[in-house]
mmCIF file of all heavy atoms in Angstrom:
data_model
loop_
_atom_site.group_PDB
_atom_site.id
_atom_site.type_symbol
_atom_site.label_atom_id
_atom_site.label_comp_id
_atom_site.label_asym_id
_atom_site.label_seq_id
_atom_site.Cartn_x
_atom_site.Cartn_y
_atom_site.Cartn_z
ATOM 1 N N TRP A 121 98.167 -6.585 -57.810
ATOM 2 C CA TRP A 121 98.670 -6.137 -59.103
ATOM 3 C C TRP A 121 98.476 -4.639 -59.259
ATOM 4 O O TRP A 121 99.278 -3.992 -59.981
ATOM 5 C CB TRP A 121 97.955 -6.889 -60.243
ATOM 6 C CG TRP A 121 98.685 -6.677 -61.582
ATOM 7 C CD1 TRP A 121 98.252 -5.929 -62.614
ATOM 8 C CD2 TRP A 121 99.953 -7.215 -61.920
ATOM 9 N NE1 TRP A 121 99.178 -5.957 -63.634
ATOM 10 C CE2 TRP A 121 100.254 -6.735 -63.205
ATOM 11 C CE3 TRP A 121 100.875 -8.001 -61.277
ATOM 12 C CZ2 TRP A 121 101.445 -7.031 -63.895
ATOM 13 C CZ3 TRP A 121 102.078 -8.348 -61.917
ATOM 14 C CH2 TRP A 121 102.316 -7.862 -63.225
ATOM 15 N N TRP A 123 99.211 -2.496 -57.190
ATOM 16 C CA TRP A 123 100.413 -1.924 -56.662
ATOM 17 C C TRP A 123 101.684 -2.423 -57.386
ATOM 18 O O TRP A 123 102.555 -1.638 -57.770
ATOM 19 C CB TRP A 123 100.563 -2.215 -55.190
ATOM 20 C CG TRP A 123 101.907 -1.962 -54.616
ATOM 21 C CD1 TRP A 123 102.431 -0.739 -54.280
ATOM 22 C CD2 TRP A 123 102.953 -2.895 -54.339
ATOM 23 N NE1 TRP A 123 103.725 -0.861 -53.801
ATOM 24 C CE2 TRP A 123 104.062 -2.193 -53.842
ATOM 25 C CE3 TRP A 123 103.031 -4.289 -54.477
ATOM 26 C CZ2 TRP A 123 105.258 -2.840 -53.473
ATOM 27 C CZ3 TRP A 123 104.223 -4.917 -54.105
ATOM 28 C CH2 TRP A 123 105.325 -4.210 -53.604
ATOM 29 N N LEU A 124 101.720 -3.731 -57.671
ATOM 30 C CA LEU A 124 102.932 -4.340 -58.198
ATOM 31 C C LEU A 124 103.084 -4.094 -59.686
ATOM 32 O O LEU A 124 104.221 -3.928 -60.166
ATOM 33 C CB LEU A 124 102.900 -5.844 -57.875
ATOM 34 C CG LEU A 124 104.083 -6.693 -58.350
ATOM 35 C CD1 LEU A 124 105.385 -6.148 -57.732
ATOM 36 C CD2 LEU A 124 103.925 -8.155 -57.925
ATOM 37 N N GLY A 125 101.992 -4.114 -60.410
ATOM 38 C CA GLY A 125 102.048 -3.948 -61.881
ATOM 39 C C GLY A 125 102.807 -2.703 -62.275
ATOM 40 O O GLY A 125 103.724 -2.759 -63.133
ATOM 41 N N PRO A 126 102.460 -1.511 -61.745
ATOM 42 C CA PRO A 126 103.190 -0.308 -62.134
ATOM 43 C C PRO A 126 104.678 -0.350 -61.758
ATOM 44 O O PRO A 126 105.531 0.220 -62.467
ATOM 45 C CB PRO A 126 102.463 0.798 -61.353
ATOM 46 C CG PRO A 126 101.069 0.283 -61.156
ATOM 47 C CD PRO A 126 101.262 -1.206 -60.960
ATOM 48 N N ARG A 127 105.012 -0.995 -60.653
ATOM 49 C CA ARG A 127 106.445 -1.116 -60.257
ATOM 50 C C ARG A 127 107.198 -1.978 -61.266
ATOM 51 O O ARG A 127 108.322 -1.676 -61.635
ATOM 52 C CB ARG A 127 106.550 -1.724 -58.877
ATOM 53 C CG ARG A 127 106.033 -0.820 -57.771
ATOM 54 C CD ARG A 127 106.004 -1.558 -56.411
ATOM 55 N NE ARG A 127 107.385 -1.909 -56.029
ATOM 56 C CZ ARG A 127 108.180 -1.145 -55.326
ATOM 57 N NH1 ARG A 127 107.793 0.066 -54.939
ATOM 58 N NH2 ARG A 127 109.397 -1.528 -54.984
ATOM 59 N N VAL A 128 106.568 -3.063 -61.706
ATOM 60 C CA VAL A 128 107.173 -3.932 -62.724
ATOM 61 C C VAL A 128 107.363 -3.165 -64.019
ATOM 62 O O VAL A 128 108.373 -3.203 -64.703
ATOM 63 C CB VAL A 128 106.363 -5.194 -62.935
ATOM 64 C CG1 VAL A 128 106.877 -6.018 -64.125
ATOM 65 C CG2 VAL A 128 106.427 -6.051 -61.649
ATOM 66 N N ALA A 129 106.305 -2.428 -64.425
ATOM 67 C CA ALA A 129 106.336 -1.658 -65.668
ATOM 68 C C ALA A 129 107.412 -0.581 -65.622
ATOM 69 O O ALA A 129 108.130 -0.349 -66.619
ATOM 70 C CB ALA A 129 104.958 -1.039 -65.926
ATOM 71 N N ALA A 130 107.579 0.068 -64.488
ATOM 72 C CA ALA A 130 108.562 1.131 -64.365
ATOM 73 C C ALA A 130 109.993 0.545 -64.499
ATOM 74 O O ALA A 130 110.857 1.124 -65.153
ATOM 75 C CB ALA A 130 108.444 1.840 -63.043
ATOM 76 N N ALA A 131 110.212 -0.603 -63.893
ATOM 77 C CA ALA A 131 111.521 -1.221 -63.979
ATOM 78 C C ALA A 131 111.798 -1.669 -65.411
ATOM 79 O O ALA A 131 112.918 -1.510 -65.929
ATOM 80 C CB ALA A 131 111.609 -2.410 -63.005
ATOM 81 N N THR A 132 110.817 -2.225 -66.075
ATOM 82 C CA THR A 132 110.993 -2.638 -67.462
ATOM 83 C C THR A 132 111.228 -1.473 -68.377
ATOM 84 O O THR A 132 112.097 -1.531 -69.288
ATOM 85 C CB THR A 132 109.716 -3.369 -67.942
ATOM 86 O OG1 THR A 132 109.466 -4.487 -67.062
ATOM 87 C CG2 THR A 132 109.899 -3.905 -69.354
ATOM 88 N N THR A 136 115.502 -2.497 -67.165
ATOM 89 C CA THR A 136 115.862 -3.485 -66.195
ATOM 90 C C THR A 136 114.847 -4.635 -66.164
ATOM 91 O O THR A 136 113.645 -4.397 -66.304
ATOM 92 C CB THR A 136 115.881 -2.860 -64.774
ATOM 93 O OG1 THR A 136 116.775 -1.760 -64.741
ATOM 94 C CG2 THR A 136 116.313 -3.882 -63.722
ATOM 95 N N ALA A 137 115.333 -5.855 -66.108
ATOM 96 C CA ALA A 137 114.446 -6.988 -65.990
ATOM 97 C C ALA A 137 114.061 -7.131 -64.504
ATOM 98 O O ALA A 137 114.878 -7.564 -63.686
ATOM 99 C CB ALA A 137 115.094 -8.253 -66.475
ATOM 100 N N PRO A 138 112.858 -6.749 -64.134
ATOM 101 C CA PRO A 138 112.476 -6.791 -62.726
ATOM 102 C C PRO A 138 112.409 -8.232 -62.234
ATOM 103 O O PRO A 138 112.011 -9.134 -62.962
ATOM 104 C CB PRO A 138 111.096 -6.133 -62.685
ATOM 105 C CG PRO A 138 110.608 -6.268 -64.046
ATOM 106 C CD PRO A 138 111.748 -6.227 -64.963
ATOM 107 N N VAL A 139 112.791 -8.426 -60.989
ATOM 108 C CA VAL A 139 112.768 -9.760 -60.353
ATOM 109 C C VAL A 139 111.695 -9.738 -59.263
ATOM 110 O O VAL A 139 111.671 -8.832 -58.430
ATOM 111 C CB VAL A 139 114.132 -10.101 -59.729
ATOM 112 C CG1 VAL A 139 114.029 -11.434 -58.967
ATOM 113 C CG2 VAL A 139 115.194 -10.216 -60.798
ATOM 114 N N VAL A 140 110.818 -10.724 -59.288
ATOM 115 C CA VAL A 140 109.781 -10.871 -58.286
ATOM 116 C C VAL A 140 109.789 -12.314 -57.798
ATOM 117 O O VAL A 140 109.815 -13.257 -58.623
ATOM 118 C CB VAL A 140 108.404 -10.489 -58.801
ATOM 119 C CG1 VAL A 140 107.306 -10.734 -57.738
ATOM 120 C CG2 VAL A 140 108.361 -9.042 -59.240
ATOM 121 N N ALA A 141 109.772 -12.521 -56.519
ATOM 122 C CA ALA A 141 109.671 -13.862 -55.942
ATOM 123 C C ALA A 141 108.258 -14.143 -55.542
ATOM 124 O O ALA A 141 107.544 -13.278 -55.000
ATOM 125 C CB ALA A 141 110.582 -13.984 -54.712
ATOM 126 N N LEU A 159 103.175 -11.631 -64.251
ATOM 127 C CA LEU A 159 104.547 -11.165 -64.080
ATOM 128 C C LEU A 159 105.366 -11.505 -65.336
ATOM 129 O O LEU A 159 106.091 -10.669 -65.870
ATOM 130 C CB LEU A 159 105.178 -11.835 -62.862
ATOM 131 C CG LEU A 159 104.725 -11.303 -61.512
ATOM 132 C CD1 LEU A 159 105.176 -12.257 -60.409
ATOM 133 C CD2 LEU A 159 105.261 -9.890 -61.273
ATOM 134 N N GLY A 163 107.129 -8.932 -68.408
ATOM 135 C CA GLY A 163 108.574 -8.897 -68.579
ATOM 136 C C GLY A 163 109.395 -9.127 -67.332
ATOM 137 O O GLY A 163 110.630 -8.919 -67.352
ATOM 138 N N ALA A 164 108.766 -9.578 -66.267
ATOM 139 C CA ALA A 164 109.487 -9.820 -65.018
ATOM 140 C C ALA A 164 110.147 -11.224 -65.055
ATOM 141 O O ALA A 164 109.684 -12.131 -65.744
ATOM 142 C CB ALA A 164 108.579 -9.733 -63.829
ATOM 143 N N ARG A 165 111.163 -11.392 -64.257
ATOM 144 C CA ARG A 165 111.771 -12.656 -63.995
ATOM 145 C C ARG A 165 111.166 -13.206 -62.713
ATOM 146 O O ARG A 165 111.209 -12.505 -61.667
ATOM 147 C CB ARG A 165 113.275 -12.569 -63.855
ATOM 148 C CG ARG A 165 113.951 -13.907 -63.806
ATOM 149 C CD ARG A 165 115.484 -13.757 -63.614
ATOM 150 N NE ARG A 165 116.162 -15.040 -63.837
ATOM 151 C CZ ARG A 165 117.351 -15.326 -63.371
ATOM 152 N NH1 ARG A 165 118.000 -14.446 -62.607
ATOM 153 N NH2 ARG A 165 117.912 -16.488 -63.624
ATOM 154 N N ALA A 208 120.181 -13.166 -55.098
ATOM 155 C CA ALA A 208 119.453 -12.936 -56.361
ATOM 156 C C ALA A 208 118.224 -12.080 -56.120
ATOM 157 O O ALA A 208 117.655 -11.525 -57.086
ATOM 158 C CB ALA A 208 119.033 -14.286 -56.923
ATOM 159 N N LEU A 209 117.814 -11.877 -54.884
ATOM 160 C CA LEU A 209 116.661 -11.073 -54.571
ATOM 161 C C LEU A 209 117.034 -9.764 -53.848
ATOM 162 O O LEU A 209 116.170 -9.076 -53.344
ATOM 163 C CB LEU A 209 115.680 -11.881 -53.713
ATOM 164 C CG LEU A 209 114.970 -12.984 -54.490
ATOM 165 C CD1 LEU A 209 114.296 -13.971 -53.500
ATOM 166 C CD2 LEU A 209 113.994 -12.460 -55.440
ATOM 167 N N ALA A 210 118.335 -9.472 -53.830
ATOM 168 C CA ALA A 210 118.799 -8.291 -53.079
ATOM 169 C C ALA A 210 118.222 -6.984 -53.627
ATOM 170 O O ALA A 210 118.111 -5.986 -52.900
ATOM 171 C CB ALA A 210 120.317 -8.242 -53.060
ATOM 172 N N ALA A 211 117.881 -6.954 -54.895
ATOM 173 C CA ALA A 211 117.304 -5.739 -55.507
ATOM 174 C C ALA A 211 115.925 -6.103 -56.152
ATOM 175 O O ALA A 211 115.553 -5.443 -57.116
ATOM 176 C CB ALA A 211 118.246 -5.186 -56.560
ATOM 177 N N ALA A 212 115.243 -7.038 -55.585
ATOM 178 C CA ALA A 212 113.954 -7.481 -56.152
ATOM 179 C C ALA A 212 112.919 -6.385 -56.101
ATOM 180 O O ALA A 212 112.919 -5.536 -55.171
ATOM 181 C CB ALA A 212 113.487 -8.752 -55.444
ATOM 182 N N THR A 213 111.991 -6.452 -57.030
ATOM 183 C CA THR A 213 110.882 -5.516 -57.013
ATOM 184 C C THR A 213 109.934 -5.809 -55.871
ATOM 185 O O THR A 213 109.377 -4.916 -55.228
ATOM 186 C CB THR A 213 110.082 -5.558 -58.365
ATOM 187 O OG1 THR A 213 111.003 -5.234 -59.396
ATOM 188 C CG2 THR A 213 108.929 -4.621 -58.380
ATOM 189 N N ALA A 214 109.782 -7.105 -55.549
ATOM 190 C CA ALA A 214 108.956 -7.526 -54.430
ATOM 191 C C ALA A 214 109.170 -8.993 -54.135
ATOM 192 O O ALA A 214 109.558 -9.745 -55.040
ATOM 193 C CB ALA A 214 107.463 -7.244 -54.668
ATOM 194 N N VAL A 215 108.941 -9.362 -52.910
ATOM 195 C CA VAL A 215 108.850 -10.771 -52.530
ATOM 196 C C VAL A 215 107.438 -11.041 -52.022
ATOM 197 O O VAL A 215 107.009 -10.457 -51.022
ATOM 198 C CB VAL A 215 109.869 -11.144 -51.435
ATOM 199 C CG1 VAL A 215 109.663 -12.567 -50.945
ATOM 200 C CG2 VAL A 215 111.277 -10.933 -51.944
ATOM 201 N N VAL A 216 106.727 -11.894 -52.733
ATOM 202 C CA VAL A 216 105.324 -12.243 -52.368
ATOM 203 C C VAL A 216 105.402 -13.677 -51.768
ATOM 204 O O VAL A 216 105.677 -14.590 -52.476
ATOM 205 C CB VAL A 216 104.403 -12.226 -53.570
ATOM 206 C CG1 VAL A 216 102.969 -12.573 -53.139
ATOM 207 C CG2 VAL A 216 104.408 -10.855 -54.241
ATOM 208 N N LEU A 243 117.619 -10.631 -46.230
ATOM 209 C CA LEU A 243 117.077 -9.796 -47.322
ATOM 210 C C LEU A 243 117.184 -8.318 -46.963
ATOM 211 O O LEU A 243 116.792 -7.917 -45.826
ATOM 212 C CB LEU A 243 115.627 -10.132 -47.594
ATOM 213 C CG LEU A 243 114.934 -9.494 -48.795
ATOM 214 C CD1 LEU A 243 115.474 -10.089 -50.061
ATOM 215 C CD2 LEU A 243 113.418 -9.680 -48.705
ATOM 216 N N SER A 246 115.140 -2.834 -47.957
ATOM 217 C CA SER A 246 114.606 -2.036 -49.074
ATOM 218 C C SER A 246 113.732 -2.852 -50.016
ATOM 219 O O SER A 246 112.974 -2.261 -50.808
ATOM 220 C CB SER A 246 115.783 -1.431 -49.916
ATOM 221 O OG SER A 246 116.643 -2.457 -50.348
ATOM 222 N N VAL A 247 113.748 -4.195 -49.900
ATOM 223 C CA VAL A 247 112.947 -5.017 -50.745
ATOM 224 C C VAL A 247 111.566 -5.228 -50.087
ATOM 225 O O VAL A 247 111.474 -5.720 -48.975
ATOM 226 C CB VAL A 247 113.604 -6.387 -50.969
ATOM 227 C CG1 VAL A 247 112.706 -7.271 -51.803
ATOM 228 C CG2 VAL A 247 114.946 -6.226 -51.631
ATOM 229 N N PRO A 248 110.465 -4.792 -50.717
ATOM 230 C CA PRO A 248 109.144 -4.963 -50.134
ATOM 231 C C PRO A 248 108.754 -6.436 -50.011
ATOM 232 O O PRO A 248 108.934 -7.194 -50.935
ATOM 233 C CB PRO A 248 108.224 -4.226 -51.077
ATOM 234 C CG PRO A 248 109.093 -3.360 -51.930
ATOM 235 C CD PRO A 248 110.394 -4.101 -52.031
ATOM 236 N N THR A 249 108.227 -6.782 -48.828
ATOM 237 C CA THR A 249 107.769 -8.166 -48.599
ATOM 238 C C THR A 249 106.264 -8.153 -48.323
ATOM 239 O O THR A 249 105.807 -7.388 -47.464
ATOM 240 C CB THR A 249 108.506 -8.781 -47.417
ATOM 241 O OG1 THR A 249 108.381 -7.998 -46.282
ATOM 242 C CG2 THR A 249 110.001 -8.925 -47.740
ATOM 243 N N VAL A 250 105.531 -8.976 -49.062
ATOM 244 C CA VAL A 250 104.082 -9.027 -48.919
ATOM 245 C C VAL A 250 103.655 -10.453 -48.745
ATOM 246 O O VAL A 250 104.055 -11.346 -49.550
ATOM 247 C CB VAL A 250 103.372 -8.419 -50.155
ATOM 248 C CG1 VAL A 250 101.854 -8.509 -50.003
ATOM 249 C CG2 VAL A 250 103.799 -6.973 -50.364
ATOM 250 N N ASP A 274 106.200 -6.534 -44.597
ATOM 251 C CA ASP A 274 105.824 -5.151 -44.772
ATOM 252 C C ASP A 274 104.320 -4.984 -45.067
ATOM 253 O O ASP A 274 103.724 -3.976 -44.725
ATOM 254 C CB ASP A 274 106.584 -4.528 -45.971
ATOM 255 C CG ASP A 274 108.068 -4.532 -45.720
ATOM 256 O OD1 ASP A 274 108.504 -4.191 -44.621
ATOM 257 O OD2 ASP A 274 108.821 -4.854 -46.685
ATOM 258 N N TRP A 284 99.381 -2.290 -45.762
ATOM 259 C CA TRP A 284 100.770 -2.168 -45.255
ATOM 260 C C TRP A 284 100.675 -2.176 -43.722
ATOM 261 O O TRP A 284 99.954 -1.445 -43.129
ATOM 262 C CB TRP A 284 101.375 -0.888 -45.779
ATOM 263 C CG TRP A 284 101.485 -0.903 -47.257
ATOM 264 C CD1 TRP A 284 100.716 -0.178 -48.157
ATOM 265 C CD2 TRP A 284 102.342 -1.727 -48.051
ATOM 266 N NE1 TRP A 284 101.053 -0.497 -49.434
ATOM 267 C CE2 TRP A 284 102.057 -1.445 -49.398
ATOM 268 C CE3 TRP A 284 103.301 -2.720 -47.791
ATOM 269 C CZ2 TRP A 284 102.684 -2.064 -50.472
ATOM 270 C CZ3 TRP A 284 103.943 -3.347 -48.823
ATOM 271 C CH2 TRP A 284 103.649 -3.022 -50.162
#
Side-chain angles (χ1 to χ4, degrees):
W121 194 251
W123 168 77
L124 182 56
R127 293 174 63 89
V128 170
T132 303
T136 303
V139 174
V140 177
L159 286 167
R165 188 182 194 203
L209 290 166
T213 301
V215 174
V216 182
L243 188 71
S246 57
V247 178
T249 57
V250 179
D274 299 316
W284 299 107

